[in-house]
């Protein structure tokens, strides 16, 4: 799921620290293409813009 957003974002934390909620947000982005979910992950510190 992270591969699909690699053009704009990189993972800012260790993959083992991802929570179920973080993964569910990534799934929601892939399903609905809602940029707001990515913004929330950036605010939380999970993703970082390139």
């Amino acid at each position: 799921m992270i591969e699909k957003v690699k053009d704009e974002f990189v993972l800012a934390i260790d993959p083992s620290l991802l929570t179920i909620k973080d993964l569910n947000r990534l799934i929601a982005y892939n399903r609905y293409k809602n940029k707001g979910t990515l913004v929330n992950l950036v605010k939380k510190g999970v993703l970082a813009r390139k």
Side-chain angles (χ1 to χ4, degrees):
M1 285 176 251
I2 296 169
E3 292 292 324
K4 293 188 179 192
V5 295
K6 273 206 176 213
D7 295 336
E8 297 178 46
F9 299 95
V10 293
L11 194 60
I13 61 172
D14 189 66
S16 65
L17 297 176
L18 286 171
T19 63
I20 298 295
K21 190 172 183 177
D22 298 335
L23 294 172
N24 285 338
R25 285 180 178 164
L26 284 170
I27 291 169
Y29 170 73
N30 286 327
R31 183 174 294 163
Y32 302 113
K33 302 299 183 213
N34 183 357
K35 293 279 186 178
T37 58
L38 294 179
V39 171
N40 289 337
L41 287 170
V42 169
K43 286 181 184 177
K44 190 175 175 188
V46 176
L47 293 178
R49 291 191 185 270
K50 280 190 173 179

